[in-house]
Amino acid sequence: MTGTAERIRVLIADDQPLVRRGLALILAPDPAFEVVAEADNGQRAVDLAHQHRPDVVVMDIRMPVLDGVQATERLSQELPACRVLALSTFDMDEYVVAALRAGASGFLPKDVSPEELSAAVRTVHGGEAVVAPRLLTRLISTYVTSPRLPRPPVSAPVPVSAPGELTPREIEVWHLLATGLDNAEIASAMGISVSTVKNYITSVFAKLSVRDRAQAVIAAYESGLVEARSANPAG
């Protein structure tokens, strides 16, 4: 971090004061970050985001007045330059997928280390998704195979173009990505370089009209490219 680099402006939204304070105490001492505001509900988060224009909102999913999913959708529509990093107490939470579909750039469980949180905020700010591929796959699998669970209203699902617009190699990359492989593992499976994988992924994102890896994985499930399997109890 150079002296001339701009600090990443962060807004923290959580209905629990101790959690908000804890997150702020993790981020604020780092010269890379500036915590510009704290919100105790989703509506307040949206209002403060308009006021302070943060780069990243660290957003709890379950909050009163306006929950994190609805707040994320509002921010995605009203302040598209603002990135949202969703938080949840539970790894297996159907609302996390709804938040990603609403426009969140990633998901972290609340028990992550301070170092993981700081790294995730940096990554999200840089335009990448922050969701462990296998965690995301497991999360979507549970969500898709549990239709009885309440499904939060999301009016803007991830757009998916016709798979026919993708080349066979792009479809193969998309499929491997959706099954939980990272770029190095995709490269090894296909016998190509990591840089070539990155090029394919960039093309896949553009053709699917998705913003990041998280939305591409969700699009794979919604399009039928990947079928959800029953959750593994040992996982």
Side-chain angles (χ1 to χ4, degrees), residues 180-197:
L181 274 61
D182 61 26
N183 289 0
E185 291 169 332
I186 294 173
S188 177
M190 296 181 65
I192 57 180
S193 69
V194 172
S195 62
T196 301
V197 171

Side-chain angles (χ1 to χ4, degrees), residues 7-234:
R7 301 169 78 184
I8 300 172
R9 295 167 57 81
V10 181
L11 187 155
I12 297 170
D14 196 293
D15 62 331
Q16 299 180 36
L18 283 176
V19 174
R20 288 199 309 275
R21 179 50 33 193
L23 293 171
L25 288 173
I26 289 171
L27 297 175
D30 190 322
F33 306 117
E34 179 185 1
V35 178
V36 297
E38 298 178 24
D40 60 359
N41 63 66
Q43 181 59 58
R44 183 72 173 147
V46 173
D47 294 341
L48 287 172
H50 278 277
Q51 180 180 343
H52 294 280
R53 300 300 173 107
D55 299 306
V56 178
V57 176
V58 179
M59 181 84 74
D60 185 26
I61 289 178
R62 298 184 178 184
M63 292 187 291
V65 185
L66 192 70
D67 68 27
V69 173
Q70 295 169 310
T72 296
E73 185 176 14
R74 287 273 305 277
L75 290 174
S76 180
Q77 295 170 351
E78 299 169 16
L79 297 173
C82 176
R83 311 284 286 184
V84 175
L85 175 62
L87 297 182
S88 177
T89 304
F90 306 102
D91 288 356
M92 302 300 291
D93 189 337
E94 70 275 11
Y95 288 88
V96 174
V97 176
L100 294 172
R101 294 180 70 242
S105 299
F107 159 75
L108 287 180
K110 285 186 178 179
D111 59 359
V112 295
S113 69
E115 294 76 17
E116 288 172 318
L117 175 66
S118 297
V121 172
R122 285 186 173 90
T123 302
V124 165
H125 177 250
E128 298 294 328
V130 182
V131 184
R134 288 175 181 81
L135 174 59
L136 180 60
T137 301
R138 194 173 77 232
L139 224 128
I140 296 173
S141 178
T142 297
Y143 179 79
V144 173
T145 59
S146 303
R148 294 183 302 278
L149 294 173
R151 186 170 185 167
V154 178
S155 61
V158 177
V160 182
S161 60
E165 297 180 14
L166 299 174
T167 68
R169 293 291 269 178
E170 288 169 347
I171 291 174
E172 185 178 359
V173 168
W174 186 24
H175 180 270
L176 293 173
L177 181 156
T179 54
L181 274 61
D182 61 26
N183 289 0
E185 291 169 332
I186 294 173
S188 177
M190 296 181 65
I192 57 180
S193 69
V194 172
S195 62
T196 301
V197 171
K198 291 179 179 178
N199 290 337
Y200 277 130
I201 289 176
T202 298
S203 180
V204 168
F205 286 2
K207 291 183 178 181
L208 295 176
S209 299
V210 299
R211 187 173 64 183
D212 54 35
R213 195 182 198 94
Q215 291 190 346
V217 175
I218 294 170
Y221 279 87
E222 294 185 336
S223 71
L225 177 71
V226 176
E227 293 184 2
R229 292 172 294 183
S230 299
N232 183 354

